[in-house]
Amino acid sequence: MKLKDIYHQKQQSLLFDIIEENSEDPREWILSPKLEMIIPDEEAHCIVRAILIDSKHNENDCFMDVSLPERISDYVIFQTEGGLNYVQTYELEEKEVIPMIACEATGDYEMYYSQMKPSIGIEVLKRGLEISKTPSVIAEDLGYIYRDENRYQEALDAFLISDKNGVSNDYIYKEIHDLYLLLHDKEKAAVYAEKCKHLF
């Protein structure tokens, strides 16, 4: 099936394998639906349902591609008055796109950070945390967004989930250290200063 065949279907599948990329136009790619409710940490190129947010905070359903494990998106596909259209992700003007499901592959947390409407990505990641068997990366994405939103206790709580399950990199220890300092807990900050002292 192609995107035009599934665009107006009820949201049964949120994730699709790309079976055939015989065109530079993503609307022509051949897709196969997947049952997963999380984007897995594997080598793949897939299509995921997403939310397009404009400068007036309006939300519209769309699709985006995701290359794994790098977690890079090149295209956003969306409905216009003239029909199904697509643009390269970097060409979006006054719009943001957020996947509807969380991702277990390490990547830029800003894939889930809408500065126009942060609650969208936060809710996606919270749902992912509830069902993921390897939640560290999802927790880290959530922690970075909370940190940027100055929600320091929630950021700390998220990063501590990653610490409990195995951090993706040692810089998470520094994030935890810094957050403890912001929350005036020097004793616990000192514990994490020891864990990340090689980074200074």
Side-chain angles (χ1 to χ4, degrees):
M1 64 179 66
K2 297 181 181 180
L3 270 175
K4 64 182 181 182
D5 302 319
I6 61 175
Y7 198 90
H8 295 293
Q9 289 181 358
K10 291 183 179 179
Q11 293 182 9
Q12 297 173 342
S13 296
L14 299 177
L15 185 65
F16 301 82
D17 273 332
I18 301 172
I19 303 301
E20 188 175 315
E21 297 180 47
N22 54 1
S23 169
E24 292 185 4
D25 183 341
R27 297 171 296 184
E28 297 299 318
W29 294 346
I30 307 299
L31 310 177
S32 176
K34 296 172 69 71
L35 296 177
E36 285 90 339
M37 297 301 293
I38 288 181
I39 304 171
D41 183 8
E42 62 185 23
E43 188 171 340
H45 189 200
C46 56
I47 292 285
V48 61
R49 290 186 187 269
I51 301 169
L52 192 64
I53 308 146
D54 65 23
S55 58
K56 296 181 180 179
H57 295 193
N58 296 316
E59 300 174 29
N60 290 288
D61 291 348
C62 68
F63 288 82
M64 63 191 295
D65 76 313
V66 180
S67 296
L68 300 167
E70 298 87 356
R71 211 166 87 173
I72 296 170
S73 176
D74 294 313
Y75 297 103
V76 179
I77 306 97
F78 54 94
Q79 189 71 35
T80 65
E81 290 182 3
L84 201 58
N85 193 17
Y86 75 95
V87 297
Q88 292 196 330
T89 307
Y90 73 87
E91 293 178 329
L92 285 176
E93 294 183 0
E94 298 183 356
K95 292 182 175 69
E96 298 172 333
V97 60
I98 304 294
M100 285 188 180
I101 54 177
C103 183
E104 292 176 335
T106 304
D108 186 351
Y109 73 94
E110 291 186 348
M111 175 173 277
Y112 290 93
Y113 186 22
S114 166
Q115 296 189 35
M116 297 177 188
K117 206 167 184 180
S119 61
I120 292 177
I122 288 171
E123 289 306 312
V124 167
L125 293 169
K126 286 169 68 175
R127 288 196 300 270
L129 272 182
E130 291 176 359
I131 61 175
S132 176
K133 294 180 180 178
T134 54
S136 291
V137 168
I138 298 172
E140 290 166 13
D141 286 341
L142 192 57
Y144 282 121
I145 294 172
Y146 280 139
R147 181 203 64 185
D148 288 0
E149 289 294 302
N150 301 321
R151 295 166 64 171
Y152 298 134
Q153 184 60 58
E154 290 163 295
L156 177 61
D157 293 342
F159 283 127
L160 288 174
I161 292 172
S162 175
D163 182 28
K164 179 180 178 181
N165 289 275
V167 297
S168 66
N169 64 79
D170 288 352
Y171 285 96
I172 302 303
Y173 296 138
K174 186 178 186 309
E175 293 293 341
I176 295 172
H177 164 266
D178 293 347
L179 285 163
Y180 271 129
L181 286 182
L182 286 168
L183 293 167
H184 311 292
D185 191 334
K186 293 182 179 180
E187 184 176 343
K188 289 183 179 177
V191 173
Y192 283 89
E194 185 67 21
K195 291 185 177 185
C196 66
K197 64 182 180 181
H198 60 286
L199 300 177
F200 295 96

